[in-house]
Amino acid sequence: MTAKTLEERQETASDWFRQLRDQMCSAFESLEHNVTGPNEHAGNGKAGRFEYTEWDRPTGGGGVMSLMKGRVFEKIGVNISTVYGEFSEDFRTNIPGTEEDPGFWASGISAVAHPHSPLVPAAHMNTRFIVTSKAWFGGGGDLTPIYPDNQSEIAFHTALKNACEPHDPTYYPKFKKWCDEYFY
């Protein structure tokens, strides 16, 4: 098996983000369609469907916004983009790999979910593949509860820890500390 070229890795990442968006939108629409029982927090009573809007970035690339409003979700967005260009002189001092070449390419996904029920936390996640003279994945996720729920907190952090463990056992404690300090 030969190593993938950078262009092949970029295409693979963009395709994966598009597939992930489709899977997530399908799962969220299923929740909207399948919700049963009384729901005093339901929106207009109609199951939501995603509306897709393409956009272009004038200096290179673009993406697709996917938005839905419905019975379960007051508003949810699952958006993808692939953009390229040059970082501004001020910004590039903060980005690895831009010392000699300010060019970049980035592809990613972002999801923000705001349910009608105050008992369900709002959720956010994003991840992206960024290429300068270096290449890396980055991103994160969080829950914003209105009412504290210890079981949900434990489940959320257990899932994040389980995702980190196979790659490096130091990742979860390192990144959790970083997030705790950042969001304090």
Side-chain angles (χ1 to χ4, degrees):
M1 182 173 188
T2 60
K4 286 187 173 186
T5 66
L6 180 57
E7 291 79 18
E8 289 170 328
R9 290 171 55 205
Q10 289 171 312
E11 186 175 335
T12 297
S14 291
D15 289 344
W16 184 76
F17 291 131
R18 193 172 15 267
Q19 291 169 13
L20 179 59
R21 185 266 325 262
D22 294 346
Q23 291 171 354
M24 291 174 73
C25 288
S26 176
F28 288 128
E29 285 182 347
S30 289
L31 286 172
E32 280 287 319
H33 179 73
N34 293 326
V35 69
T36 59
N39 185 354
E40 67 274 12
H41 303 294
N44 61 14
K46 296 179 185 171
R49 301 283 301 170
F50 277 93
E51 294 181 18
Y52 299 86
T53 305
E54 292 187 26
W55 59 272
D56 290 315
R57 181 173 178 264
T59 56
V64 179
M65 294 184 300
S66 309
L67 297 173
M68 178 176 69
K69 296 178 181 180
R71 296 188 289 190
V72 176
F73 298 99
E74 178 182 357
K75 186 174 184 181
I76 184 168
V78 184
N79 306 315
I80 56 172
S81 64
T82 299
V83 296
Y84 51 88
E86 289 189 1
F87 286 118
S88 70
E89 195 166 328
D90 290 339
F91 194 67
R92 75 178 79 145
T93 60
N94 301 313
I95 306 297
T98 59
E99 298 81 14
E100 282 137 43
D101 180 356
F104 74 91
W105 178 97
S107 188
I109 186 169
S110 175
V112 181
H114 291 270
H116 282 287
S117 174
L119 301 176
V120 180
H124 165 258
M125 68 75 69
N126 69 70
T127 188
R128 59 202 148 295
F129 181 47
I130 302 172
V131 178
T132 60
S133 65
K134 302 176 188 251
W136 68 95
F137 277 90
D142 59 76
L143 294 177
T144 306
I146 293 173
Y147 297 105
D149 179 350
N150 196 37
Q151 286 182 315
S152 293
E153 180 182 348
I154 291 168
F156 179 76
H157 283 280
T158 299
L160 291 176
K161 185 173 189 250
N162 290 342
C164 291
E165 286 284 323
H167 304 285
D168 185 328
T170 67
Y171 280 175
Y172 176 78
K174 174 183 164 183
F175 296 139
K176 182 180 184 312
K177 182 179 185 296
W178 185 23
C179 288
D180 287 347
E181 290 170 359
Y182 177 81
F183 288 108
Y184 178 72

